[in-house]
């Protein structure tokens, strides 16, 4: 299965989304890892590898759910036991189901549901391999956008012509440290997220960038319901506004500038579309309500005088406006980003060094790094003949509402009737909202096939479970476009149990279905690595960089790109000459008024940024019954839900459960104390958590990180309405941000908290499901 003709490496190395590392192996067991020697500030998460590599949570062999074999129609998915089968039997089942569904229902009835942070490697990237395989069979229903910044991923190109401002590259920290006077960080600059690089990274440089802010110094404002969303060492001023009200504050700041005649009229005229409609809206000429500090104070909870004072500070300074990705994961989350683009344009700061706007600092590592643009090349996926893709956050709608129409960014989608779900890579029971609804959705298809390393909640909801190798059990190439290192990922261990590579599984299925040559092109997995490196090497050569041949790269284990000779800042060329360097928008300019959006006729959308009620927030009537706004940030001790079974993740919990943070006054009003086991609930569900008190959380706000492995108590309430472990996505709303972006709206969520009464149920999230001892 694994060829041995690759060069022998000098040192065994690998990479994960939380960093590169060197591997220590004894007697075919991983006994330790050491940080990559060129990483100045390596993260802590790499050290969970030895524990998790040999964890009892590894899926040991191919398995089939008992009820599926009996034809139960999916009713027991998530609650059933599994029967071991031989690989040939499992593959025959999968191939037969794929052939049946595409023959009798068409390829659109196959949902290729692969989303999330699978391997850091580019060859063994599960989503790519799944899509490549399904395309050889005639296609599938797929997904577009993402959970992280899906709303603006769909919407922002209409305003700016690309997603560069949110996906990167963004204005570098060098430019910020050298030129910026005032940095307004909406949603903060959370340091915990800087450990993560998509695709793996060789360097963590957060400490270097924070030092730049202190050196100049740059005045930083943390505009967030959480004080620790900016590191204490930065000395940021905390403005604890109500969640989901950032747009109102931004509009009020814009109002103050326009009211006082301080807008940059030259920039607005030359670089933006018609500012008139937005100007009239700000001044109240359009709807009779000026977007004044007094108006915003009622919405945001920030004193009107403080808003006025902040607006005055924006004048005559180099200002950078930034927002965390989490800001747009809310109802009408598109509007906050659009409003920030407008405010930066009113200030005339767009395209200046260290000024303007840029999104995502503190949302993922390496945002704001020097411009490396490392070439990351994987296998081509081919063309999907079906041509149907849904926004990732609408997966439950797809499964539950076949034939229903939905609006998305100017398109009208029709959900096909999904008969088979094929999931390889990622865990929707971490990412998705309203998990009780998702459980219902996952019980509707006729067959669910899942590839996984570990017993995730998604694997437990499958009919056919195929065990796959981890990063350390295969060879690959990793790296991030924002990082200077391309990284060899050496196979250090044999596969655990009967695990196989995704590539080998799909090749075997393609052979059964007469498409092996189309999928493999005659190559075993390892034979692709020199091909991929050749493509990367060619891309580097076109930039004048002489990368080594594959054998040299593989033995050494990495290649380092040089740092760019100059700083990068967004929209530099556009600012200098918008006629020669227009944006890829219909006007070639920043669309402060967007005729396309106005034409869509979506509820509330008038063609410019505006305040729209998010429905579940502290100003809503529902807040009288559920008076706490729940925020669900990323955790500190794992990547989303990955490695949740590790000791590091367990150390971040208390009494085996996730920790909910409340302001002491909110706890006292409910008779709650530090360490209480509490029930967090709303009409969608309930979960248990351990209570911690914090004055760094704004009043009226509850904070419960995502990623606790979904652990429903099916014995207590119908359909798992009580989740025992602290997974907040049993509470969050499964509704799109709007018809524009249809992104995840997790952060528009109201709850109540009470002390849990009665015997506290045990956490069983890390107990593998029962397996039949005999092979079927």
């Amino acid at each position: 299965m694994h060829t041995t003709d690759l060069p022998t490496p000098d040192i065994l190395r690998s990479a994960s989304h939380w960093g590169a590392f060197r591997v220590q192996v004894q007697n075919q067991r991983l006994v330790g890892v050491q940080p990559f020697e060129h990483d100045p500030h390596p993260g802590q998460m790499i050290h969970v590898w030895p524990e998790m590599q040999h964890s009892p949570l590894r899926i040991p062999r191919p398995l089939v759910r008992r009820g599926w074999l009996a034809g139960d129609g999916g009713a027991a998915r998530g609650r059933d036991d599994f029967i071991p089968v031989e690989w040939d039997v499992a593959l025959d089942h999968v191939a037969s189901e794929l052939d049946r569904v595409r023959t009798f229902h068409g390829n659109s009835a196959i949902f290729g549901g692969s989303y999330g942070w699978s391997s850091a490697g580019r060859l063994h990237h599960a989503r790519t391999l799944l899509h490549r395989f399904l395309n050889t069979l005639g296609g599938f229903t797929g997904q577009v956008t993402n959970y992280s910044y899906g709303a603006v991923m769909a919407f922002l190109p209409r305003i700016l012509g690309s997603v560069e401002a949110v996906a990167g590259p963004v204005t570098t920290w060098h430019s910020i440290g050298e030129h910026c006077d005032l940095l307004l960080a909406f949603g903060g600059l959370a340091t915990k997220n800087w450990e993560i690089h998509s695709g793996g990274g060789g360097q963590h440089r957060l400490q270097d960038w924070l030092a730049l802010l202190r050196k100049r110094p740059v005045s930083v404002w943390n505009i967030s319901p959480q004080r620790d969303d900016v590191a204490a060492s930065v000395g940021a001023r905390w403005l604890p506004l109500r969640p989901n009200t950032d747009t109102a504050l931004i509009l009020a700041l814009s109002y103050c500038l326009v009211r006082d005649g301080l807008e940059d009229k030259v920039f607005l005229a030359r670089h933006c579309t018609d500012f008139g409609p937005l100007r009239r809206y700000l001044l109240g000429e359009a709807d009779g309500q000026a977007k004044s500090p007094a108006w915003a104070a009622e919405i945001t909870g920030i004193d009107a005088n403080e808003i006025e004072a902040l607006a005055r500070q924006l004048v005559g300074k180099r200002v950078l406006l930034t927002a965390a990705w989490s800001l747009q994961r809310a109802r009408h989350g598109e509007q906050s980003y659009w409003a920030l683009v407008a405010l930066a344009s009113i200030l005339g700061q767009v395209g200046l060094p260290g000024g303007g706007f840029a999104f995502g600092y503190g949302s993922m590592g390496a945002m704001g790094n020097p411009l490396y643009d490392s070439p990351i090349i994987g296998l081509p996926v081919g063309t999907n003949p079906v041509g149907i893709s849904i926004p990732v956050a609408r997966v439950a709608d797809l499964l539950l509402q076949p034939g229903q129409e939905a609006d998305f960014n100017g398109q009208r989608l029709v959900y096909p009737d999904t008969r088979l779900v094929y999931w390889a890579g990622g865990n929707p029971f971490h990412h998705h909202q309203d998990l009780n609804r998702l459980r219902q959705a996952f019980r509707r298809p006729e067959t669910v096939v899942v590839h996984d390393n570990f017993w995730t909640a998604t694997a437990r909801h499958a009919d056919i479970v195929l065990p796959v190798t981890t990063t350390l059990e295969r060879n690959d190439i990793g790296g991030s476009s924002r990082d200077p290192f391309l990284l060899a990922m050496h196979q250090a261990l044999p596969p655990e149990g009967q695990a196989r590579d995704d590539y080998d599984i799909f090749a075997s299925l393609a052979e059964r279905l007469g498409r092996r040559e189309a999928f493999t092109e005659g190559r075993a997995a390892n034979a692709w690595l020199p091909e991929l490196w050749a493509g990367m090497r060619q891309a580097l050569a076109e930039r004048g960089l002489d990368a080594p041949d594959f054998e040299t790269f593989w033995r050494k284990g990495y290649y380092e790109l040089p740092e760019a000779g100059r700083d990068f800042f967004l929209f530099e060329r556009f600012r200098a000459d918008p006629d020669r360097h227009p944006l890829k928008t219909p006007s070639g300019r920043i669309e402060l008024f967007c005729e396309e959006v106005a034409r869509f006729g979506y509820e509330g959308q008038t063609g410019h940024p505006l305040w729209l009620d998010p429905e579940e927030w502290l100003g809503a009537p529902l807040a009288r019954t559920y008076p706490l706004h729940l925020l669900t940030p990323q955790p500190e001790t794992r990547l989303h839900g990955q490695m949740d079974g590790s000791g590091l993740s367990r150390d971040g919990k208390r009494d085996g459960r996730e920790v909910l943070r409340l302001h002491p006054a909110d706890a006292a009003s409910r008779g709650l104390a530090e360490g209480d086991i509490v029930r967090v609930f709303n009409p969608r569900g309930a979960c248990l958590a351990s209570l911690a008190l914090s004055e760094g959380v704004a009043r009226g706000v509850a904070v419960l990180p995502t990623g606790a492995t979904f652990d429903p108590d099916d014995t207590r309430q119908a359909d798992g309405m009580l989740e025992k472990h602290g997974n907040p996505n049993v509470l969050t709303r499964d509704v799109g941000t709007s018809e524009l972006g249809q992104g995840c709206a997790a952060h528009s969520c109201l709850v109540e908290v009470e002390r849990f009464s009665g015997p506290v149920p045990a956490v069983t999230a890390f107990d593998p499901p029962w397996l039949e001892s005999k092979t079927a």
Side-chain angles (χ1 to χ4, degrees):
M1 192 182 302
H2 297 271
T3 60
T4 57
D5 55 357
L6 296 177
T8 302
D10 297 336
I11 299 172
L12 287 174
R13 302 176 185 275
S14 195
S16 62
H17 299 298
W18 42 95
F21 54 92
R22 294 173 289 172
V23 180
Q24 299 168 290
V25 175
Q26 292 179 6
N27 300 322
Q28 295 192 338
R29 289 190 68 84
L30 182 66
V31 296
V33 300
Q34 294 179 336
F36 183 49
E37 58 267 37
H38 296 287
D39 193 342
H41 308 287
Q44 59 182 343
M45 278 194 274
I46 59 171
H47 296 289
V48 308
W49 269 113
E51 178 186 4
M52 294 303 294
Q53 174 64 30
H54 307 291
S55 167
L57 288 170
R58 289 294 299 271
I59 298 171
R61 59 177 304 165
L63 299 157
V64 178
R65 188 174 62 80
R66 181 183 299 279
W68 183 78
L69 289 172
D72 72 351
R77 282 189 194 121
R79 296 189 288 234
D80 211 350
D81 53 1
F82 288 85
I83 298 173
V85 296
E86 299 296 338
W87 264 107
D88 282 344
V89 174
L91 294 171
D92 286 346
H93 278 312
V94 176
S96 176
E97 282 299 283
L98 286 167
D99 199 43
R100 178 186 67 82
V101 170
R102 66 181 181 146
T103 298
F104 292 102
H105 305 287
N107 283 69
S108 65
I110 300 171
F111 177 53
S114 178
Y115 175 82
W117 296 61
S118 56
S119 170
R122 295 300 90 193
L123 171 60
H124 293 287
H125 184 253
R127 177 184 175 92
T128 297
L129 293 173
L130 175 63
H131 290 184
R132 178 182 174 90
F133 166 67
L134 292 176
N135 282 338
T136 70
L137 303 182
F140 60 102
T141 294
Q143 296 166 294
V144 293
T145 70
N146 61 32
Y147 281 95
S148 296
Y149 50 86
V152 295
M153 189 178 186
F155 156 74
L156 209 59
R158 296 194 179 278
I159 307 307
L160 300 175
S162 77
V163 295
E164 185 179 42
V166 64
V170 293
T171 299
T172 66
W173 284 105
H174 283 301
S175 182
I176 297 169
E178 188 72 22
H179 301 284
C180 183
D181 299 313
L182 180 62
L183 194 163
L184 298 189
F186 288 83
L189 305 166
T191 57
K192 60 183 171 53
N193 299 329
W194 287 72
E195 189 167 337
I196 305 302
H197 294 61
S198 178
Q203 290 186 340
H204 294 84
R205 300 183 64 181
L206 170 62
Q207 301 306 321
D208 300 337
W209 307 144
L210 295 184
L212 284 177
L213 297 183
R214 296 191 297 268
K215 182 179 178 181
R216 192 161 183 259
V218 178
S219 177
V220 179
W221 284 62
N222 173 27
I223 303 173
S224 167
Q226 298 184 82
R227 182 167 53 200
D228 60 4
D229 270 344
V230 173
S233 62
V234 174
R237 181 165 181 178
W238 183 32
L239 197 64
L241 86 171
R242 289 173 178 159
N244 288 194
T245 66
D246 307 80
T247 300
L249 174 60
I250 299 162
L251 292 172
L253 295 173
S254 301
Y255 164 88
C256 291
L257 297 171
V258 172
R259 176 199 61 193
D260 296 340
L262 297 173
E263 70 269 32
D264 189 324
K265 298 179 179 63
V266 173
F267 183 88
L268 290 168
R270 190 172 186 220
H271 293 82
C272 304
T273 54
D274 185 8
F275 177 57
L278 177 56
R279 186 180 191 278
R280 291 189 290 274
Y281 175 74
L282 292 172
L283 296 176
E285 296 169 2
D287 59 1
Q289 174 61 67
K291 308 311 174 289
S292 65
W295 167 81
E298 291 294 317
I299 297 170
T300 65
I302 304 299
D303 184 79
N305 292 328
E306 194 164 9
I307 297 173
E308 286 274 8
L310 178 56
R312 288 194 294 271
Q313 290 196 44
L314 302 178
V315 179
K317 295 184 176 68
R318 185 63 52 84
V319 179
L320 179 66
L321 306 173
T322 184
W325 290 346
S326 59
L327 208 68
Q328 54 84 64
R329 293 197 293 269
R331 282 286 287 160
H332 310 299
E334 300 90 353
Q335 301 302 318
S336 57
Y337 274 47
W338 201 356
L340 281 170
V341 170
L343 177 55
S345 300
I346 289 168
L347 289 166
Q349 300 270 309
V350 179
L352 293 175
F357 60 87
F359 309 120
Y361 301 109
S363 295
M364 187 169 70
M367 295 294 286
N369 265 9
L371 185 62
Y372 296 112
D373 196 21
S374 302
I376 307 299
I377 297 175
L379 292 185
V381 300
T383 301
N384 185 351
V386 169
I388 299 174
S389 291
I390 64 162
V392 294
R394 304 274 54 81
V395 58
D397 291 354
L398 167 74
L399 299 179
L400 290 170
Q401 301 168 354
Q404 183 165 317
E405 295 184 348
D407 288 310
F408 170 50
N409 201 19
Q411 307 170 48
R412 178 63 59 88
L413 305 177
V414 179
Y415 295 132
D417 188 358
T418 302
R419 302 302 180 104
L420 185 148
V421 170
Y422 205 134
W423 206 285
N427 178 8
F429 283 86
H430 158 69
H431 278 100
H432 204 68
Q433 281 58 67
D434 194 350
L435 293 184
N436 291 309
R437 183 172 187 258
L438 184 65
R439 290 189 94 191
Q440 296 171 11
F442 254 66
R443 288 171 181 156
R444 188 186 175 280
E446 294 163 352
T447 301
V448 176
V449 182
V450 170
H451 294 199
D452 219 323
N453 324 105
F454 301 97
W455 278 117
T456 62
T458 303
R460 295 171 194 258
H461 284 79
D463 298 315
I464 304 171
V465 183
L466 303 180
V468 293
T469 52
T470 67
T471 290
L472 293 169
E473 296 164 355
R474 58 200 183 207
N475 295 299
D476 215 328
I477 299 173
S480 166
S481 62
R482 307 181 187 96
D483 188 84
F485 288 96
L486 296 173
L487 301 158
M489 300 168 63
H490 302 130
Q491 182 182 349
L493 297 161
E496 192 90 1
Q498 296 186 23
R500 293 187 183 182
D501 298 344
D502 295 288
Y503 184 92
D504 294 330
I505 295 171
F506 289 128
S508 296
L509 289 170
E511 184 169 12
R512 283 167 167 78
L513 295 165
R515 303 298 293 163
R516 184 181 182 92
E517 180 63 26
F519 178 76
T520 68
E521 298 182 34
R523 294 183 177 93
N526 282 347
W528 281 103
L529 293 172
E531 296 290 325
L532 298 184
W533 180 253
M536 297 180 197
R537 192 182 184 200
Q538 176 62 33
L540 292 168
E542 291 171 0
R543 293 160 52 180
L545 299 175
D546 185 18
D549 59 26
F550 177 76
E551 289 75 12
T552 303
F553 161 73
W554 194 256
R555 288 193 189 98
K556 185 177 181 181
Y558 63 89
Y559 170 72
E560 182 178 7
L561 279 75
E563 193 160 308
R566 63 187 298 273
D567 277 343
F568 173 81
F569 48 98
L570 279 169
F571 304 111
E572 175 186 10
R573 295 194 304 166
F574 168 69
R575 182 187 181 89
D577 193 334
D579 296 319
R580 290 186 60 192
H581 303 288
L583 303 180
K584 294 178 181 178
T585 59
S587 65
R589 305 298 194 258
I590 296 172
E591 302 259 332
L592 296 187
F593 178 79
C594 182
E595 290 186 4
E596 284 186 330
V597 171
R599 270 201 311 270
F600 294 158
Y602 296 153
E603 184 177 359
Q605 302 291 341
T606 58
H608 59 72
L610 71 169
W611 162 254
L612 295 171
D613 191 317
E615 298 125 22
E616 281 199 30
W617 65 295
L618 293 176
L622 188 64
R624 291 191 289 270
T625 305
Y626 299 99
L628 294 171
H629 194 124
L630 179 67
L631 297 180
T632 54
Q634 296 305 320
E636 295 185 21
T637 56
R638 58 183 177 268
L639 167 55
H640 300 312
Q642 288 187 34
M643 306 304 193
D644 188 32
S646 71
L648 178 64
S649 183
R650 291 194 302 271
D651 288 346
K653 304 175 195 283
R654 186 191 289 160
D655 301 319
R657 288 178 170 81
E658 210 60 46
V659 175
L660 175 86
R661 293 195 299 152
L662 278 182
H663 191 279
D666 287 326
S669 68
R670 292 163 174 79
L672 302 175
E674 180 82 20
D676 281 349
I677 300 298
V678 294
R679 176 176 175 262
V680 191
F681 63 97
N682 65 18
R684 289 177 287 274
C687 69
L688 301 183
S690 180
L691 181 63
L693 307 184
S694 172
E695 293 189 351
V697 175
R699 292 286 304 273
V701 174
V703 179
L704 183 61
T706 65
T709 301
F710 180 54
D711 192 19
D713 187 349
D714 289 320
T715 67
R716 185 177 296 264
Q717 296 188 46
D719 205 30
M721 287 297 286
L722 179 67
E723 199 280 336
K724 301 177 290 184
H725 192 197
N727 187 319
N729 280 338
V730 298
L731 304 161
T732 51
R733 297 176 70 193
D734 187 12
V735 60
T737 51
S738 76
E739 297 94 335
L740 273 176
Q742 287 289 6
C744 157
H747 291 301
S748 296
C749 176
L750 293 174
V751 299
E752 181 56 290
V753 175
E754 65 184 10
R755 183 180 290 106
F756 184 73
S757 59
V760 179
V763 173
T764 56
F766 305 118
D767 298 342
W770 188 84
L771 307 182
E772 173 68 63
S773 59
K774 295 181 181 180
T775 301

